[in-house]
Amino acid sequence: MTTAALPVIDAQNLQIRVGQHALLREVTLSIAAGERVAIVGHNGAGKSSLLRALTGFNAVDAGALSVLGFALQQAHARPPRELRMLRSRIAQVHQGLCLVGRLSVLDNVLIGGAARSPTWLTWLRRWPLHERERAVTALRRVGMAWAAGRRTDTLSGGERQKVAIARALHQDAPVLLADEPTASLDAEAAEEVVSLLATVVAERRATFVCVVHDLDLVPRLADRVIVLRRGQLVADMRVHVGIAGELREVLR
C-alpha cells in the first residue's frame, strides 16, 4: 500500500475512558482523504469524545488511532511539539467556537495560522503582513471582512460562527472537524452556515468530519454517516435519498 492510499483517519478497536466510564468502546473506522463524514447519535453517545480523540485531547486507553499518520495512542511518549504540529494540520469549528471575545475578529482569524509564525510574535499579536492579508481573504470568503476590526463579542451567533469558519480557512489544514456547527443558531443563520461549510469543504477538498444533531442536514454536509450509541459504532452508511428517515429508525 502506498502512502497516498493510507487513510487520513484510522481507528482500530479504539477505547477511551474517564475513570470507570467508557466514552468510546472498540470503535473501528477508516476515513480516506477528501471524505465527508457525519457523526450522529443521542446525547452521551460519544460523538464529541471521538472528535476530541482525533486531536489528542482525549487520551487513547486501548486500541489504536492514527490521524495523518500520527499514532495518537503513543502521543504521551513523543515530544509535545509533534502533537502541536498535528493539531496545526487539523482545523476545528468548535461547538463553543473558542473565539476570544475581547479580541478583534481579525485577530481571532489570525490565531488559526499561529503555527506558521514565531511564538513571540503570536503572543504579542504582531502578525506578519502576509498572514494579515491571508486572514482578510478568509474573512472576505465568508462575508465577514466588514467586521475585521470589530470586537468578536459584539457579533451575533451566526456571525461568530462565520468567523470560526474563517479561522479554519486561514489555518489551511487538510482535515476539518466541526462539532454541531448549527447549534443555537436560528433557521436563517443555520442555513447560511451549512451552505458555507459545504462550499468551503468542496473547494478545499478537505477531509471533513462533522457531528450533526439535525439529521435533515446530513445530506448537505456528508457523503457518509456513522452512528454511535453508548460509545459504540452501530452503523456506517453511505448517504442516500431518505437517509434522514433511516437514521431516525436506527436511533429509535
Side-chain angles (χ1 to χ4, degrees):
M1 182 179 290
T2 64
T3 301
L6 292 174
V8 170
I9 297 168
D10 188 64
Q12 299 295 323
N13 299 315
L14 174 64
Q15 298 187 57
I16 293 177
R17 307 183 68 87
V18 173
Q20 298 300 310
H21 178 62
L23 300 178
L24 295 173
R25 297 183 288 170
E26 298 184 351
V27 171
T28 294
L29 64 92
S30 180
I31 299 174
E35 275 199 282
R36 302 183 307 148
V37 179
I39 306 172
V40 303
H42 295 303
N43 290 339
K47 306 182 298 295
S48 296
S49 297
L50 179 55
L51 281 195
R52 287 177 59 83
L54 298 180
T55 52
F57 285 106
N58 276 344
V60 175
D61 290 295
L65 175 63
S66 68
V67 180
L68 294 167
F70 185 96
L72 281 158
Q73 70 273 16
Q74 302 168 359
H76 68 282
R78 298 167 71 167
R81 68 177 181 276
E82 293 187 8
L83 186 55
R84 288 196 298 270
M85 184 177 297
L86 172 68
R87 289 171 178 162
S88 74
R89 302 183 67 203
I90 304 173
Q92 297 185 74
V93 179
H94 301 269
Q95 186 174 359
L97 300 185
C98 294
L99 299 174
V100 183
R102 62 182 175 80
L103 294 183
S104 71
V105 165
L106 182 61
D107 275 328
N108 271 284
V109 173
L110 283 161
I111 289 169
R116 297 190 293 265
S117 299
T119 302
W120 70 272
L121 285 179
T122 64
W123 277 106
L124 295 173
R125 302 205 302 278
R126 294 176 59 184
W127 306 98
L129 178 60
H130 67 277
E131 287 291 327
R132 296 177 69 87
E133 290 173 343
R134 287 180 63 170
V136 170
T137 298
L139 281 170
R140 188 176 297 116
R141 178 65 190 82
V142 303
M144 291 297 294
W146 61 270
R150 290 269 299 271
R151 275 182 60 125
T152 305
D153 56 11
T154 66
L155 303 180
S156 70
E159 289 167 343
R160 289 196 298 271
Q161 193 69 287
K162 291 179 183 179
V163 173
I165 294 171
R167 180 181 59 191
L169 276 173
H170 182 59
Q171 190 168 336
D172 195 22
V175 177
L176 173 59
L177 310 179
D179 193 353
E180 297 194 25
T182 61
S184 303
L185 298 182
D186 61 38
E188 183 178 355
E191 171 62 27
E192 285 190 76
V193 166
V194 168
S195 296
L196 183 58
L197 266 177
T199 301
V200 163
V201 170
E203 288 176 351
R204 295 297 180 95
R205 298 182 180 178
T207 303
F208 182 53
V209 183
C210 180
V211 171
V212 179
H213 175 72
D214 184 348
L215 300 181
D216 291 320
L217 295 180
V218 169
R220 302 275 305 279
L221 292 170
D223 43 38
R224 176 181 166 198
V225 57
I226 64 174
V227 182
L228 295 178
R229 179 183 292 128
R230 299 188 186 93
Q232 292 184 301
L233 196 157
V234 297
D236 186 340
M237 302 180 285
R238 305 304 298 179
V239 171
H240 55 81
V241 175
I243 187 67
E246 187 172 340
L247 289 170
R248 288 186 179 95
E249 288 299 315
V250 172
L251 290 169
R252 288 182 64 178

